[in-house]
Amino acid sequence: MMGRGMMGQGMKGHGATGGDAMGPPVAFRIIFALMDADGDGTVSLPEFQVAHERIFKAMDRDKDGKLTPDEMMAFMHGNKSAVPQQ
């Protein structure tokens, strides 16, 4: 039998962003609102693609149109100097 503490918070539906059985986490609601550009309560394919293109461009430090693992890790860790500029 699994005792108390055997399942991580994410496994129980309570992540660091505050989600629970009552509704989606705050971070999710914020991201959804940012992606729903026309405010219709849905995210269309074009809205989804625009949001992800912005993320891709922010990760692509050397602006070559490709992402390396180092660029992705630097972005995730907020490290501006981890990727050499070309």
Side-chain angles (χ1 to χ4, degrees):
M1 219 187 292
M2 295 179 88
R4 181 178 166 93
M6 294 294 286
M7 291 176 66
Q9 288 296 321
M11 297 293 287
K12 295 180 188 175
H14 298 280
T17 55
D20 61 16
M22 299 301 292
V26 172
F28 174 83
R29 292 192 309 264
I30 291 168
I31 292 167
F32 188 90
L34 290 170
M35 290 176 69
D36 182 17
D38 61 9
D40 70 352
T42 66
V43 175
S44 66
L45 179 58
E47 289 170 324
F48 188 87
Q49 290 170 326
V50 165
H52 285 82
E53 182 177 355
R54 285 193 312 246
I55 294 168
F56 182 95
K57 287 179 177 180
M59 287 183 178
D60 186 15
R61 306 264 316 157
D62 61 7
K63 306 301 180 206
D64 67 351
K66 299 181 235 173
L67 295 178
T68 65
D70 287 341
E71 286 174 317
M72 293 177 79
M73 290 300 292
F75 179 84
M76 298 306 249
H77 291 127
N79 185 349
K80 295 181 183 201
S81 64
V83 179
Q85 296 298 312
Q86 294 182 357

